[in-house]
Amino acid sequence: MFSGLGRLVVRRPWWVIVTWIIAGTAVISLAPKLTSTSDEASFLPSRYESIKAMDLQEEQFPQQQNVGAIIVFQRADRARLTAADSADVRKVADRLARQKIPEVQDVSATPVAPNKQVQTAIVAMPKLNNPEDTAQQDAVQEIRDELPSALRGTDLTAGVTGSAAQALDERESADRAGVLVAVGTIVIIVVLLLVIFRSPIIALLPVVLIGLIAPLATGLIASANELFDMKTDSSIRELLTVVLFGVGTDYILFLLFRYREALRAGEDAKSGMVHAVERVGEAIASAAGAVIVAFAALALSTLGMLKSMGPALAIAVFVTLLAGLTLVPAVVSLLGTRVFWPSRSWRAEPSGTGFARFGALLARRPAVWALASAVFMGALTVGALGYRANFDLAGSSLPKSKESMVAQRDMERGFPAGTTDPSSVYLDATDGRPLDPAAVAAVRERLRAVDGVGSVDPATLSKDRRTAAYEVVLTDPPASDDALDTVRTGLRPAADEAAPAGTRALVGGTTAVYVDINKAVDRDYAVVFPVAALCIMIILGLLLRSLVAPWYLLLSVALGFGATLGATSLLFQQIGSQPGLMFMLPVIMYLFVVALGTDYNILMVSRLREEAREGREPRDAAGTAVRHSGPTIAAAGVILAGTFATLMLAGNATLSQMGFALSFGIVVAAFVMAMIFTPALTALIGHTAWWPGHGDRGRPPPRTPAPTAAPRSPTDPPAPRPQDPPGS
């Protein structure tokens, strides 16, 4: 099949290129804009309690004002606020309210903090229904621009925090991050390819080709989101950049290394490309299939964030696969050997390469290398036991110097940490009768007695007096572990116990959303991980015609995942003293490390099988496979790890954690799993690794008529076996 595809592409390269241009133009012109959101609540299904509370609030309290932003006032000398200072706060709030700033419903001063250190003004805004609407963020910017003149002549300073202010700061940070990630990715790819091939054409080839197909992939993802009503997480743009360029460059490298090997064997440019597609096409397709299946498994998630991220990345990899098997061979076949210009190193394989020496060492002592790599990954896996989840995507992704973060810390000097984002408790009559005032008061007293609750405002009743709403301020930051424990083990049980017969209690707010996300993620771990692993094993089994190899290949990937999570936990939680890792990082790590790590395992094990089919014994096949595939895997691993590492340039903890985890995981996958553990273990297991298909057995030669030449003497040298020539 791949041989036929290679011949078709090489014979009709211009037809292939024109087809891509037409398809890309059509998709880009017709596709909607790719939108994203960072609103965690929008990713939860309606069956969770926090979402039921949100729906009840919209139904029974539609007039309830939403706190879009909070202005935090304090004296410039950090002294206690005086009565005159409080009067100035009220004047500033009144002035801002009279400005009639779009999206600002009201600006009202609140009482000064009990310790007189700070005072706040609440900026009421309507509920945000469209995550792409930046009007409230623009309103915050207008307030920030107006504050200096409003504070002139007073002894006060002020900063703006709250959800709209954080969204504004996050947007500015994301714009910077997107540019840094894109530029960093391209620079790393170009520089590393120049070092590896010494050819500016090859260095620019992935950048140009993937840069052209990236808008096509983005358009297909946007169309799928609109068709299936999916929401995309705000980090998807940076992930798409590194996936398209990183994975796309990997597939181009797989093809170019095999193409160079064919040229060194004496084939001409066109037949060499056909040979390359034929030999490496199955490995690329299987590797991409494993990645696509792993990403698509996220569609089983209950979280909309992951449910949409998986198919989006799967679409990106599928487009990259198609380009790797059609567009790239078409362009390279037109360029011929000029693609390597000005380098001439493609003409002959260098002797005595490091990979040849390492392959020989591994072939002599496979047990030692298998044990050493397993111990290395196992030791790092122990660090995963200290993993803690962090659910504050907005706060943890912002630099501490941003105004919303500074103002939040200032506010905590005088108010409980939960003041920025109070929880909500609703007592709702299920029997259709008005609530008993005594019962409403009793519920408030019960909520106030919960450990971790700072204050509970008197209940607000709905118009029909069948629903009571309590605003609950926690003593801990809304996204902290302590706040989550307060809601999970204190507030929700207390509200349920206090609710009288004929009523129900619902706890909502951001902290409750985080609690429900935690529950959803635990469920997803139990479903998505096994499904993805099973699908990858099926792909490996079909590729290798073996029931044995898929098990230890997946074992190596599981060790790589554990080592990556352990190293990331140690670096960011123990050394970096961060409160935890992004809650969905293990899912993303699992899919990237498992899927992309399987890429390198597939490339190595395919070469192992190929060498075994040539008649080599298991240890010799392992050493030769490392010699041939080592340079490809090393180059691809370094480039892909480098592209993921660019996420650390974004300047926020969330993307830094993701960038380190994915780049470290790829390094482990390429240099420990695929280059050491897999070939060493395959050499130890021997022919049993290919049971029951015995894919390592060479195909019997075709039957031919009896030879007419004189029979060979026993002293004659053996006839050469047809095999691929050596090449890196």
Side-chain angles (χ1 to χ4, degrees):
M1 176 180 125
F2 291 101
S3 176
L5 176 63
R7 286 193 297 270
L8 174 65
V9 170
V10 169
R11 289 173 183 171
R12 300 284 188 273
W14 284 112
W15 284 99
V16 173
I17 294 171
V18 170
T19 300
W20 272 95
I21 292 174
I22 294 173
T25 302
V27 170
I28 294 170
S29 61
L30 298 175
K33 180 183 177 183
L34 179 62
T35 59
S36 62
T37 178
S38 59
D39 178 14
E40 290 88 349
S42 66
F43 298 119
L44 279 171
S46 58
R47 67 175 179 272
Y48 285 94
E49 182 175 335
S50 58
I51 306 303
K52 291 180 180 178
M54 187 182 301
D55 293 339
L56 181 64
Q57 182 264 320
E58 292 178 358
E59 176 187 344
Q60 294 295 335
F61 302 95
Q63 77 287 354
Q64 188 176 34
Q65 291 182 329
N66 178 58
V67 179
I70 301 173
I71 307 174
V72 182
F73 298 88
Q74 61 185 332
R75 285 184 60 88
D77 58 7
R78 311 283 281 187
R80 292 161 63 91
L81 293 169
T82 65
D85 294 328
S86 293
D88 288 336
V89 169
R90 290 190 292 272
K91 289 178 183 177
V92 171
D94 291 341
R95 173 175 171 172
L96 292 173
R98 292 194 301 270
Q99 293 287 327
K100 301 299 181 183
I101 299 173
E103 293 296 303
V104 174
Q105 297 172 325
D106 187 31
V107 182
S108 55
T110 63
V112 68
N115 62 5
K116 308 291 186 181
Q117 291 293 318
V118 295
Q119 188 171 356
T120 63
I122 301 300
V123 182
M125 295 180 175
K127 179 177 174 55
L128 185 64
N129 295 315
N130 179 13
E132 288 300 306
D133 186 358
T134 62
Q136 293 189 5
Q137 300 171 32
D138 297 337
V140 170
Q141 186 60 60
E142 193 168 343
I143 291 173
R144 286 177 173 174
D145 294 340
E146 182 67 23
L147 273 174
S149 61
L151 293 171
R152 192 173 294 118
T154 72
D155 296 321
L156 301 172
T157 62
V160 186
T161 187
S163 58
Q166 282 192 345
L168 172 62
D169 291 341
E170 187 178 11
R171 183 181 73 185
E172 294 173 350
S173 181
D175 291 342
R176 173 180 173 273
V179 173
L180 287 174
V181 168
V183 172
T185 298
I186 292 172
V187 168
I188 285 177
I189 290 174
V190 170
V191 170
L192 291 177
L193 286 178
L194 274 174
V195 171
I196 294 168
F197 287 98
R198 300 179 180 86
S199 166
I201 297 176
I202 291 180
L204 294 174
L205 187 65
V207 176
V208 173
L209 294 183
I210 299 169
L212 291 175
I213 69 171
L216 169 62
T218 303
L220 290 174
I221 294 168
S223 299
N225 283 357
E226 184 176 82
L227 181 62
F228 297 104
D229 191 26
M230 296 188 298
K231 297 180 176 66
T232 301
D233 175 50
S234 57
S235 64
I236 191 64
R237 297 179 186 276
E238 287 77 19
L239 276 177
L240 276 177
T241 299
V242 295
V243 166
L244 284 168
F245 280 95
V247 175
T249 303
D250 268 11
Y251 296 162
I252 292 174
L253 281 175
F254 292 172
L255 194 70
L256 285 177
F257 270 100
R258 204 59 187 252
Y259 177 54
R260 186 174 68 177
E261 190 175 328
L263 293 176
R264 287 173 174 173
E267 297 192 44
D268 62 75
K270 291 191 178 297
S271 63
M273 179 52 66
V274 174
H275 174 91
V277 174
E278 176 187 5
R279 289 302 181 95
V280 86
E282 184 180 28
I284 292 177
S286 300
V291 178
I292 291 169
V293 165
F295 286 160
L298 282 177
L300 300 175
S301 171
T302 54
L303 284 175
M305 178 188 308
L306 300 178
K307 187 188 290 286
S308 60
M309 179 187 291
L313 297 177
I315 291 171
V317 174
F318 180 71
V319 172
T320 306
L321 168 65
L322 292 181
L325 293 178
T326 57
L327 181 60
V328 175
V331 172
V332 175
S333 66
L334 287 174
L335 293 171
T337 58
R338 292 187 298 274
V339 75
F340 298 104
W341 179 89
S343 173
R344 296 179 179 273
S345 62
W346 61 271
R347 297 176 183 272
E349 178 192 11
S351 60
T353 64
F355 291 101
R357 291 192 295 272
F358 177 69
L361 287 173
L362 185 141
R364 282 199 298 270
R365 297 178 178 272
V368 172
W369 288 102
L371 180 62
S373 57
V375 169
F376 170 76
M377 291 187 287
L380 284 177
T381 299
V382 175
L385 299 177
Y387 162 76
R388 297 188 303 273
N390 178 27
F391 295 88
D392 186 9
L393 292 186
S396 63
S397 65
L398 287 174
K400 301 304 180 184
S401 58
K402 286 292 186 180
E403 181 174 332
S404 59
M405 305 303 292
V406 173
Q408 181 172 315
R409 291 195 300 271
D410 288 339
M411 187 171 65
E412 291 173 6
R413 293 176 59 227
F415 295 100
T419 305
T420 55
D421 201 345
S423 295
S424 301
V425 178
Y426 298 94
L427 183 66
D428 183 48
T430 56
D431 57 8
R433 297 161 57 184
L435 294 171
D436 179 9
V440 172
V443 169
R444 182 194 177 205
E445 293 304 314
R446 179 67 182 87
L447 298 178
R448 293 174 65 184
V450 174
D451 288 339
V453 170
S455 63
V456 182
D457 287 351
T460 301
L461 294 177
S462 60
K463 290 183 178 180
D464 58 10
R465 306 185 67 80
R466 296 176 183 174
T467 305
Y470 306 86
E471 186 174 278
V472 180
V473 175
L474 305 180
T475 57
D476 300 296
S480 65
D481 288 340
D482 290 338
L484 268 65
D485 287 340
T486 297
V487 169
R488 184 190 300 111
T489 63
L491 199 58
R492 278 182 171 171
D496 290 337
E497 293 169 5
T503 66
R504 61 170 179 166
L506 297 174
V507 179
T510 301
T511 306
V513 168
Y514 292 147
V515 171
D516 290 339
I517 287 178
N518 194 8
K519 187 187 303 182
V521 169
D522 288 342
R523 177 264 177 197
D524 290 347
Y525 287 166
V527 174
V528 175
F529 283 14
V531 169
L534 177 62
C535 292
I536 290 175
M537 285 192 67
I538 291 173
I539 290 175
L540 289 171
L542 293 175
L543 169 67
L544 304 174
R545 282 80 169 170
S546 168
L547 295 178
V548 177
W551 285 100
Y552 68 82
L553 291 178
L554 208 60
L555 170 64
S556 72
V557 174
L559 283 172
F561 166 77
T564 303
L565 182 58
T568 308
S569 298
L570 289 172
L571 178 63
F572 287 94
Q573 293 181 187
Q574 305 301 323
I575 300 176
S577 300
Q578 292 189 8
L581 302 181
M582 179 180 58
F583 73 90
M584 63 178 182
L585 185 62
V587 177
I588 296 174
M589 276 174 39
Y590 175 83
L591 294 173
F592 275 94
V593 175
V594 168
L596 299 179
T598 303
D599 270 15
Y600 302 133
N601 266 343
I602 286 175
L603 190 67
M604 178 58 75
V605 82
S606 296
R607 191 65 188 237
L608 280 164
R609 180 183 62 180
E610 188 176 325
E611 297 301 333
R613 283 177 173 175
E614 299 295 343
R616 292 185 172 87
E617 289 302 310
R619 294 194 178 200
D620 186 24
T624 307
V626 170
R627 173 189 175 189
H628 287 310
S629 294
T632 309
I633 293 173
V638 168
I639 290 176
L640 187 58
T643 57
F644 280 126
T646 59
L647 291 172
M648 300 177 71
L649 300 174
N652 67 65
T654 298
L655 289 178
S656 292
Q657 291 174 7
M658 192 182 301
F660 172 81
L662 297 182
S663 59
F664 184 85
I666 294 302
V667 168
V668 171
F671 292 93
V672 182
M673 289 160 41
M675 211 168 309
I676 301 176
F677 189 81
T678 294
L681 207 55
T682 303
L684 287 173
I685 297 174
H687 296 290
T688 306
W690 312 101
W691 183 87
H694 300 295
D696 60 331
R697 292 176 179 172
R699 296 181 179 87
R703 300 185 63 181
T704 58
T708 56
R712 297 179 58 84
S713 167
T715 60
D716 290 340
R721 287 183 281 106
Q723 65 182 56
D724 282 346
S728 59

